[in-house]
Each structure stands twice: as C-alpha cells, then as structure tokens.
Amino acid sequence: MTELSLEIFRHLPHPPERVFDAWLDPKMLSKFMVPGPGVTVPEATSDAKVGGRFRILMRVPGAGDLPHEGTYQTIDRATKLAFTWESHNNMENSVVTLDLVPKDGGTDLTLRHVRFPSEQSRDDHQGGWTSIMSKLEEVLT
C-alpha cells in the first residue's frame, strides 16, 4: 500500500524568521491553527525544543473539542520545522514538515504531511492545512 501524503506550497510576504516563529508561539498558534469556518483554538501550548511537545485544542462547531498534539523532531530556525501530528484522524507516526526558503522579500513555505489512515483523511487535512496557511498569512499581516 502506498503511504498517503500531501504537500501544500504558499508564498508568504513575510521574512522566514517571522513565519517560522509563529509555528512555535502558542499565542500565534491559537490565532491561525483554524482548519475551517467557525473553528477556534481556546488552548495552545508549545515546549519549543527538539523532543518538546505541543498541544492545540481545536473547538469545532458540531464536533466539540478536538485535541491535536505532537513532538518536535527538527527545529532549524527559519529553515525547517518537523513534528509528529497526533489527532483523532491520523495514524501513528504521522509527521508534518515545514520547509522555509527566503524569496522575493518573503518566504516560500512548503508543508508536507505524511501517513494518513485513508484518502478521506488526507483530503480533509489538505483542506484544513490550506485554510491554516491562509489564516497564517492573514494573522502575520
């Protein structure tokens, strides 16, 4: 069976350091980690070190509180961030990797997420991560 994965690319008109730091700041996470309309993040924590853990509690209309957690695997400021992604809708060893490249006064950001239990889960995450990337650009502006 082929391992299911997704990749999303976005150019953000902000320097890599600013984009990168947002992913490790609990206050910023609570503002942009919203994968769809009406979703809020009442709780976000981050122990921003390799081996450290994060927790993002997404409050989803009609579904309640959905915790998302993980462990930081790679933290290379303004260049690369990788972390496990543990949620109700993922397989064990699901990993998200962010690659940041400075370009045209901003940042080319590529998000890769690997290991999904089904095509439906992957497709749902594709939409969620796309919304999160849009919200990230909005809150950084």
Side-chain angles (χ1 to χ4, degrees):
M1 181 165 124
T2 302
E3 185 169 270
L4 297 172
S5 64
L6 65 81
E7 183 172 292
I8 299 169
F9 171 84
R10 188 167 194 107
H11 179 80
L12 300 168
H14 306 284
E17 294 80 7
R18 188 156 179 232
V19 174
F20 183 89
D21 291 348
W23 288 89
L24 299 176
D25 179 349
K27 289 180 183 173
M28 288 299 290
L29 288 169
S30 68
K31 293 178 182 178
F32 76 85
M33 288 296 285
V34 290
V39 176
T40 59
V41 178
E43 176 189 331
T45 61
S46 172
D47 182 15
K49 64 183 180 194
V50 173
R53 303 264 309 155
F54 68 87
R55 175 174 162 71
I56 301 164
L57 184 66
M58 294 179 187
R59 185 160 290 153
V60 181
D65 289 350
L66 303 176
H68 295 73
E69 302 181 30
T71 301
Y72 295 111
Q73 296 180 322
T74 303
I75 299 178
D76 185 0
R77 186 162 188 260
T79 304
K80 186 182 207 91
L81 179 65
F83 48 87
T84 62
W85 188 250
E86 304 159 14
S87 76
H88 66 288
N89 201 20
N90 277 99
M91 293 179 67
E92 194 173 323
N93 298 319
S94 183
V95 175
V96 175
T97 304
L98 304 170
D99 288 302
L100 299 88
V101 176
K103 185 169 184 191
D104 300 329
T107 304
D108 281 351
L109 176 61
T110 303
L111 180 148
R112 288 180 194 84
H113 189 165
V114 298
R115 294 194 50 87
F116 295 96
S118 67
E119 289 182 11
Q120 181 66 50
S121 174
R122 182 209 44 215
D123 294 347
D124 289 348
H125 279 82
Q126 180 88 27
W129 285 121
T130 299
S131 294
I132 286 167
M133 298 276 264
S134 294
K135 191 68 173 176
L136 173 63
E137 181 173 2
E138 179 185 315
V139 301
L140 286 174
T141 299

